[in-house]
Amino acid sequence: MPFRLPAMSERYTPLYFLAALGAGGLAVTFFLYLMFWIPHPGQSVPVFEDIAAAFAAGGLGVKAMIGLAYAGIAFFAVLHIRLLIWNLREYAGFRRTVAYSALRSGNAETQLLAVPLTLAMAINVGFILGLVFVPRLWSVVEYLFPLAMVAFLAVGGYAFLLLGDFFGRVLTKGGFDCARNNSFSQMLPAFALSMVAVGLSAPASMSVTPLTAGISYIASSFFMVSAVILGAVALFLGFRSMMEHGANEEAAPTLWVAIPIMTVLSIAMLRQSHGLHVHFADHAGAAESFTMLTNMVAVQVLFGLFGYVVLRRLGYFARYVWGDLRSPGSYALVCPGVALSVLLQFYLNKGLVEVGLLAKFSPAYWAITAVALVLQAASVWLVLRLNAKHFAARETAPRVAAAE
């Protein structure tokens, strides 16, 4: 990791939490190799023992795949933790600056939701690290699920405290600048709540205890509904402002924020559906999952095309990715590639294969997998490119706080 993480003080922005978020998301993409390509009977996710058995029995290709998955998970988990610790340290100092007070008085106050968003991702990354590196973890997992739910609820509670401050201010005193809301930056709260929801939904799918699964289902449903409502409001407000004023150049990557939201909500709904089937006699089958995933991928493709048109016309990639301009909002470009790669893997394995449209490990299966892997590789390159650009140079001040 050939870059340093400097002290920024007032030059810092909470959008740098998205750097840690993207690294955590990439760790998840490598975990999906193990999730979908090796058998894991007895539980819905692979654990250390499943991986060790597959490695011992597999050929050179299987061993290479597992080695790559482990290397990817380890590298990006360490990068995620490193960036998270740096962000928490910088954020603590930033809270004592005049810039922080200014942030709390404008549209960009919702940038603070990047903090619980990334904390929720950190819990998910920790769970993955436990699954793949800790032997016999599954023997105590029923004790870990309640602890994980408490952690996610704490993060969700923190998110609602931040939202309470924001909406309490703008809905009593006004001051929200609709003209400067010409992006989808106000959908960041919906992203944060949906990340909490997907974490809370895990016990619904994996726990063998009906009470744990039921509490997981109820809690995750609350955060899913909250994310959908806030996301819909922000979507229409942002679209209306863009139609009048054009898209904000630096915040243009937020036009793709719906893509990761759709991914985490889709996974949450799959987990909930599995829990209902196992514990509560609901017999929704593969066709229902296929339909839901098809619709979600369609939404992602639509927003992907829409965002690409705007970003290309603004020349965003030439200026902020390939060029010399730096904006912390550029890290918002990582999540859509990661999210689309993840959902394609779920769509392929839990949708197309489950309904019998494709045979697992057939040529068509690997062709679609290749698309997901290309998106993953592009996201890896983008993370490394942005990290070098933002942290390798001596002067790291962003031009403008992008979420405005």
Side-chain angles (χ1 to χ4, degrees), residues 21 116-117 120-121 124 152 190-200 264:
L21 179 73
L117 169 62
M121 173 60 83
N124 287 320
F152 278 113
F191 191 9
L193 296 180
S194 62
M195 187 66 72
V196 173
V198 75
L200 282 170
V264 292

Side-chain angles (χ1 to χ4, degrees), residues 272-350:
Q272 287 188 336
S273 177
H274 182 74
L276 289 176
H277 171 71
V278 171
H279 294 291
F280 305 111
D282 179 80
H283 300 294
E288 286 77 7
S289 297
F290 170 67
T291 300
M292 183 273 290
L293 289 170
T294 298
N295 292 334
M296 290 299 202
V297 171
V299 172
Q300 289 185 322
V301 171
L302 175 63
F303 274 92
L305 294 173
F306 166 66
Y308 176 74
V309 168
V310 177
L311 287 162
R312 183 175 59 83
R313 293 209 173 191
L314 289 173
Y316 188 91
F317 302 104
R319 292 175 179 152
Y320 293 95
V321 178
W322 300 103
D324 295 329
L325 294 181
R326 283 175 289 156
S327 168
S330 299
Y331 280 100
L333 293 173
V334 177
C335 294
V338 170
L340 188 53
S341 174
V342 168
L343 196 60
L344 277 177
Q345 292 269 34
F346 274 90
Y347 184 46
L348 175 59
N349 290 277
K350 297 296 184 181

Side-chain angles (χ1 to χ4, degrees), residues 23 32 34 39 42 45 95 102 199 214 228 243 263 321 334 348:
L32 293 186
L34 310 173
V45 290
R95 285 169 58 90
V228 169
M243 292 288 286
T263 291
V321 178
V334 177
L348 175 59

Side-chain angles (χ1 to χ4, degrees), residues 159-181:
F160 271 109
L161 285 176
L162 294 175
L163 285 172
D165 288 341
F166 174 72
F167 285 116
R169 174 175 63 83
V170 299
L171 296 181
T172 57
K173 299 179 181 179
F176 186 80
D177 192 341
C178 291
R180 299 186 68 188
N181 186 39

Side-chain angles (χ1 to χ4, degrees), residues 231-265:
V233 171
L235 177 69
F236 288 113
L237 288 175
F239 202 90
R240 189 246 182 261
S241 182
M242 284 189 288
M243 292 288 286
E244 182 174 358
H245 303 285
N248 180 304
E249 179 179 292
E250 285 202 61
T254 64
L255 300 182
W256 279 344
V257 73
I259 296 175
I261 292 175
M262 292 301 104
T263 291
V264 292
L265 289 180

